[in-house]
Amino acid sequence: MKPAPAFAELAATSNFSFLRAASHPHELVERAAELGYGAIGIADRNSVAGLVRAHVAAKAAGIRLVPGCRLVLTDGPDLLAYPADRAAWGRLTRLLTTGKRRAEKGGCILSLTDLAMLEGGFAGIVSAPQVSHEETEVLSSKINVLKNVFNVSFHVAAAPRFDGCDGPRLARAAQLAEACALPLAATAEPLMHVPGRRPVFDVLTCIREHCTLADAGLRLAANGERHLRTPADMARLFAAYPAALTAGAEIAGGLAFSLDDLAYEYPDEPVPAGRSADGQLARLALSGARARYPEGVPDKVRAQIGHELRIIRELRYAPYFLTVHDIVGFARSRGILCQGRGSAANSAVCFALGITAVDPARSDTLFERFVSAARNEPPDIDVDFEHERREEVIQHIYARYGRERAGLAAAVIRYRARSAVREVGKVLGIAEDRAAALARTVWGRSSRSPDAGQTRAAGLDPASPEAARLLALARELIGFPRHLSQHVGGFVITRGRLDEVVPIENAAMEARTVIEWDKDDLDALGILKIDVLALGMLSCIRRALGLIAAHHGRVLELATIPAEDAAVYEMLCRADSVGVFQVESRAQMTMLPRLRPRTFYDLVIEVAIVRPGPIQGDMVHPYLRRRSGKEAVEFPSDELRAVLGKTLGVPLFQEQAMRIAMVAAGFSAQDADRLRRAMATFKHTGQVSFFRDKMVEGMTARGYEPAFAERCFQQIEGFGSYGFPESHAASFALLVYASAWIKCHYPDVFAAALLNSQPMGFYAPAQIVRDARAHGVEVRAVDVNASDWDCKLEEAPQMALAVNGVQLKALRLGLRQVRGLSEADAKRLVAARALDGPFADTGDLAARTGLAKAALSRLARADALASLKLDRRPALWAVAGLEDAAPLPLFAAAERSNGGPRLDDAPPPPLPPMGTGEAVAEDYRMVRLSLRDHPARLLRGRLDNLGFAPCADMARAKHGSWVRAAGLVLVRQRPGTASGVIFMTIEDEDAVANLVVWPKSFERYRATVMAARMVGVAGRVEHEGNPPHRVTHVIAERLYDLSDLLDGLDEASGRMAVASRDFQ
Amino acid sequence: MRDGAGIWIEAGGCAHLLGGEEAMCRTVVADLARLGHAARAGLAGTPGAAWALARTAKTPFAIAAPGTEREALAPLPVAALRLDPATVEALCALGLRRIGDLYPLGTAASGRAELARRFPPLLLERLDAALGLVFEPISPIRERTRHITRFTAPEPVRDGETVARITQRLVETLCPMLARDGLGARRVTLTAFRADGRSAQIDCGTARPLAEARALMRLMALCLPRLATGPGADAFALEATETDPLRATQARLDGRKDREDDALTLAPLVEKLAARLGNGRIGRLAPRPRHLPERAQSFVDAFGDIPDTPDAATAARPLRLFARPAPVAAAATAPEGPPAWFRWQGTVHPIARAEGPERIALDWWRLDGWQGDPPAMPETLADAVRDYWRVEDARGARFWIFRDGPWRPDAPERWYLHGVFP
């Protein structure tokens, strides 16, 4: 006798039915495998967002996944739909797309008539609600209409709820089934994988209903019975309907669709008629190479291109390259700066096509890092575009390929520690400020729930049951998806209709549409994605080049900036790098004087080295020691010298790790790539021993010491997932050099471009301006008679000469700096000024610009009316006295020309004068910086009394001596590597100081570290190196919150606005 | 005061009765302190100036002699003029932080015109009022009318009969008072002032507003025994401390009362019981939206409003629910199934029919065991369920029993009886 088929549960709901189910897709799959199910079907509400994760988990667990979807209709019962083949899947996704495109973000509107779009080829299950006798007829007529759609199989299901009415419920479901002439299916309709998830489920319900646990009443689950049950249990519950038990397995048997069937096809637009993709690619590559190397293509590069084209042809990736080339070409045609990054820069073909900028003739590229025949997944090209013009590129893609074929990848927004604590706190009814305080102790976007110390600091007793519940539930909630959002820039483009691969929905942003899968899902399915990313520095560089052309008469492109300029490297060695791409952070500034970059390759290393991987893998110190001559540079063999020569024998890059495996252990290129990928996931896949053995064997076979081989492998293992690809570092290094060159030679232009490209970078406008002034640039305040929206350059005959003998201009701050002034208003002002010349008085200003009083007050408070001979307070007074409606232009003009009484001719109002402290505070409040003075200078007397020395003294103090200093908090940073150490940067009127706060001190002074705007520190000074390349830190022993002193500068509102940047 | 945080007292001409202005202020502040309020007082010739002084004083009280308002107000912040926050912020932005800063502008006509252009009229009004240039009236609080009657006896009264007769007189005087104002009593307090200087009080609550003397007297008669007259009381006061508008009931043509209003017929019974047993002891059950049966209702005051009935649990519930489930001995036929019999109070009930199970899980947030390092779900979560069965025994009686905890093959089952169906 054939054994009965194993039970299959097809109606599971995962937490991708947001806030309605309490288990991750992989949890459901794994539990189903544990229970011995024959198959598991996941059907989320009007969504397939979780299916790929389930698919991957199912493969790992060895159980079959039946992909499906629960169609929630506006005018009918819930229908679970399972496509039987690829074509049916396409119809399902198109149906979902239709429903989603007509709804707001996150919604889906479907009615019974829409289901006709499915046509046929589906297995269906009607999720029978509690039907009364009268409703059966109506319902059965609705269901009968759908038999054409669900022509593979059609069942009626009812799940036990354990509410005392299960017997009648199942009986009525059986009646309904009979009335419709359909069989019954047994299902538990699980909303969680184990009953222990009930508390989380209740919390989700409360979040969804916006109520607290105490108010939820009957909305909470009466029991936790909606979970995956053992087959024996199901048999017991459906003992009266034995045929229903095998229904699930039968349904699964009739379906043949798996997500693996989603084969991917690249678009063929970029291929002209009559040519093949490979042919076209080859032509473009060769002509591009000739353009790149006017003196003739080097042999090495020619060979490399040939090699790459062979692999590309074999793997049939040519259309992908052509698509990316097409997009980049569009950008270039519009003068949008762009550059490829990442592993793609390993490709000579990409360089030839102009996608990347790393010259294979000068660098050592490894194509297999980018594309490998062994890998069964498409390449991943990330291209950075100017952040301000990226939208043009995005809309071009939509226009060229159409919204049915192009869409942005999704990003799953999940609960992290902070949001989880806040939401659970709200649900549990914990006072909002307590929960918020606890949430704030979590650093940034961490996923680690707060520990006992943090809980105590927030005013909650960690031992109390209240706090324990909060923390336990928050921990479970972390990682749950909340909703889908759009990915930063990952585009999916298909040849056929994209909405026949995956549903497309509306994004929150207008004119954007998003697919339901994120980039991990796309990778898992082998669907190609192009990352259209935004890089602020590209916008900044483009602006800078434009300003140089306009004001200094020198026309440059990114590619024609003079290379290898010693003055630029000297500047970087001094850590004079505020605003420079990638090397302006505190960590980089301390590394620059140690590493002392003198050539381009040094920059490549600089970019790669200051990251968790190399630091943890203990690469950085050996490298620096060898570089400074403290250690001898030696290589275990000549072949390794070839690989590690450029990095002095220390492996720093992923490609080097791969090459070591290839060269010293005899790995093939594909194997080496597998090694690299395994390194990134060692913890998960447990392939450590396999690769270790392979490497050690290979190396010993070629004559290396086994101990050495082991050490090599350990090193590689150490920085596996964090090591940079060299190509990526090289792409970035190009931008480092370019931005440093601009800063070195044209600091006026650099500052203007940086300010106009905000928000970006590590520093706030106040620091950019300070740095510019330190480099001799005169900075002029915002003024209605001189400023445009953007910051600009003006003539300044008295200024000092810059490095190369060029006369620097003065920087006029733009109206964009004024807090709360809209761009539209600013443009109106500028236009009015352009039309009729400078404004004479406030009445003139108001009349000609037509700005509202609120906008004019902002300008007055920002001290922008100085050219009207009005100080702040008289200016505000004048503005307040204007008529609300602008006077009719004709009358106003007549009055002016008649020499009629001008508003400002009235005697000045008897207003009290403004002190410097108040003025500085108001500057910070309205313009985010002050040209007048620094708050620390104004408080210098008080600071001296309290025993704090200026920050500039830190550099001069003796190593190890005890010092006290104070300043505004600029930056707080807690890098993931540094075992809980916090770095802070404080600034006073002349200098900055870098503070190091060890975890013990952090615990004692947590509130001060996290929230203070001005801080005093007492601790020991530590120096490294000698001037001028010395790096100084203050190890903080005690910290003082001096924010009150700041507030004291401005008595009126009592709160001085200083914002610091916080980094992970 | 409209913002509820202070009182204005028109104290003109009273100071000398309390020993002078300073002494008066000190007494007021001290008296308020005794009542539990921390107060500050300001005394000046205008309400505006007094407010400003009280609000900004750093000492318990501040006094401005009449005519010195200008100097007294000058150093105070502009917010003390009772302006809205936006105006205060605008003034501060201009550097006009103190009231004194406004004087140069607020006096000359041109300055005033400038101020009027820029700020709401309230600014000048308040300034002028505070300085006494304009009169600002204070509207007094009206006292609530009390419905109270008093009786003084020629000599102390002790015996119940006399007290009852006196009470009757008081009731007959009070009710017309109430009826005249269209009110009925909801709570009535009788105070007896005893010869030893103490006083005794009883109160009586009613279910509906009452202005009829006989009904009220009937109620009072029930409460009177509780009045402790001690050595004897020589003065009595009867007050309707809580009143509600009286609804007139239309008398039928045949003189009989309308039976439709059940509340009116139930109410006297409830009132009598409450009067006898005490007000808090009579109540009713109101449904609460909870899954756990013992939590699904709450005890509300008999005279209180009935809360809105939310959705109730869908399954049947017994008419009689035990406050505490009674343990019973029972044995189930099949695992997870209903019992075949159970024994309660010595009687064995063999079970003929059963419906269920209805699994109700206990409130997980009341469970212990969350603490830990790190905190986690309590291990008892899985066992915190009850499986309820509606059973009918061989004689046709119906019961609601449950098994505490899920069925376990090796653990003994614990069964309880929670309620009885009719």
Side-chain angles (χ1 to χ4, degrees), chain A residues 4-43:
Chain A
F7 179 71
E9 172 62 72
L10 295 184
T13 310
S14 79
N15 57 10
F16 277 86
S17 297
F18 301 122
L19 298 182
R20 288 187 185 266
S23 292
H24 297 280
H26 71 88
E27 290 177 319
L28 290 165
V29 166
E30 283 158 18
R31 177 80 181 134
E34 259 178 56
L35 292 172
Y37 283 11
I40 173 83
I42 293 189

Side-chain angles (χ1 to χ4, degrees), chain A residues 70 94 97 141 200 202 207 237 267 286 361 371 391 393 413 464 513 577 628 701 707 762 802 876 906 956 979 1040:
Chain A
R70 173 183 286 257
R94 274 186 78 165
T97 304
S141 60
V200 177
D202 280 341
I207 294 176
L237 291 167
L286 287 174
V371 170
E391 188 64 25
V393 178
I413 305 296
S464 71
T513 46
S577 64
S628 58
F762 202 76
L876 255 184
R956 288 192 289 271
S979 52
Y1040 307 90

Side-chain angles (χ1 to χ4, degrees), chain B residues 120-388:
Chain B
L122 192 66
L123 172 61
L124 281 177
E125 278 168 23
R126 293 268 192 247
L127 185 62
D128 290 344
L131 292 177
L133 302 170
V134 164
F135 177 66
E136 183 180 359
I138 313 176
S139 47
I141 302 174
R142 287 195 190 294
E143 203 188 298
R144 194 177 61 91
T145 14
R146 294 172 72 175
H147 296 95
I148 183 169
T149 61
R150 293 189 182 80
F151 178 84
T152 317
E155 53 187 28
V157 170
R158 276 187 64 180
D159 68 297
E161 243 189 70
T162 325
V163 171
R165 273 209 303 277
I166 294 175
T167 310
Q168 174 92 19
R169 287 252 295 264
L170 288 173
V171 167
E172 283 165 1
T173 321
L174 183 64
C175 287
M177 247 195 229
L178 288 170
R180 202 176 38 233
D181 286 343
L183 296 171
R186 288 302 303 277
R187 184 174 296 279
V188 160
T189 307
L190 176 69
T191 314
F193 297 95
R194 300 171 13 162
D196 60 0
R198 298 184 9 206
S199 57
Q201 249 183 12
I202 48 165
D203 30 50
C204 248
T206 69
R208 73 241 188 265
L210 212 52
E212 204 218 353
R214 252 186 25 202
L216 189 56
M217 190 56 217
R218 267 205 300 270
L219 269 182
M220 301 281 337
L222 291 172
C223 300
L224 276 178
R226 284 192 267 133
L227 186 67
T229 43
D234 47 17
F236 291 85
L238 182 70
E239 182 176 2
T241 41
E242 269 178 45
T243 58
D244 268 348
L246 197 60
R247 261 178 326 159
T249 49
Q250 178 130 17
R252 282 155 54 121
L253 283 178
D254 60 2
R256 292 216 299 266
K257 289 251 184 71
D258 230 329
R259 291 293 302 274
E260 268 168 22
D261 203 346
D262 278 335
L264 285 178
T265 50
L266 183 60
L269 171 65
V270 176
E271 282 164 6
K272 289 197 188 120
L273 286 173
R276 256 277 157 72
L277 300 170
N279 273 327
R281 309 274 296 272
I282 310 289
R284 51 159 68 100
L285 288 178
R288 254 198 335 197
R290 297 279 186 274
H291 288 296
L292 265 186
E294 56 263 42
R295 291 200 180 279
Q297 52 277 319
S298 58
F299 187 85
V300 296
D301 181 32
F303 303 136
D305 293 321
I306 309 174
D308 281 328
T309 321
D311 306 312
T314 47
R317 288 283 179 268
L319 190 63
R320 247 188 85 197
L321 189 74
F322 295 172
R324 254 195 294 276
V328 299
T333 45
E336 303 274 7
W341 56 267
F342 71 93
R343 182 172 62 233
W344 178 51
Q345 292 182 340
T347 324
V348 174
H349 300 263
I351 290 183
R353 278 186 275 268
E355 256 184 356
E358 184 181 352
R359 177 165 283 194
I360 299 184
L362 302 181
D363 296 341
W364 51 262
W365 53 97
R366 289 186 210 280
L367 295 175
D368 281 327
W370 289 82
Q371 290 94 317
D373 192 20
M377 305 279 166
E379 285 165 4
T380 50
L381 190 62
D383 290 337
V385 292
R386 294 179 189 162
D387 279 345
Y388 280 85

Side-chain angles (χ1 to χ4, degrees), chain A residues 36 48 133 138 192 235 258 339 370 382 387 440 459 463 470 478 484 571 651 731 752 770 782 867 902-903 940 942 946:
Chain A
V48 297
H133 205 63
V138 174
M192 51 190 111
S258 145
Q339 187 178 275
F370 173 47
D382 302 340
H387 72 332
R440 271 199 297 273
L470 172 60
I478 289 174
L484 290 181
M571 182 185 89
S731 306
R770 206 165 78 83
V782 184
S867 62
R902 286 170 27 169
L903 199 62
R940 187 46 60 196
R942 299 282 311 268
L946 291 167

Side-chain angles (χ1 to χ4, degrees), chain A residues 125-187:
Chain A
I125 300 181
V126 181
S127 176
Q130 197 94 325
V131 263
S132 68
H133 205 63
E134 304 81 38
E135 290 168 356
T136 308
E137 262 205 51
V138 174
L139 198 51
S140 60
S141 60
K142 286 185 183 168
I143 291 172
N144 281 324
V145 169
L146 296 170
K147 286 188 179 164
N148 300 332
V149 171
F150 298 111
N151 52 3
V152 174
S153 65
F154 204 0
H155 287 68
V156 170
R161 298 280 166 98
F162 278 77
D163 57 358
C165 311
D166 281 339
R169 170 177 295 108
L170 292 184
R172 273 192 227 111
Q175 267 174 10
L176 177 64
E178 212 181 287
C180 304
L182 294 175
L184 195 67
T187 165

Side-chain angles (χ1 to χ4, degrees), chain A residues 5-10 37-41 63-67 82-84 123-125 152-153 155 185 245-258:
Chain A
F7 179 71
E9 172 62 72
L10 295 184
Y37 283 11
I40 173 83
I63 183 175
R64 177 176 167 198
L65 171 75
V66 178
Y82 306 89
I125 300 181
V152 174
S153 65
H155 287 68
L245 285 168
T246 52
E250 282 159 18
I251 297 173
L255 299 170
F257 175 69
S258 145

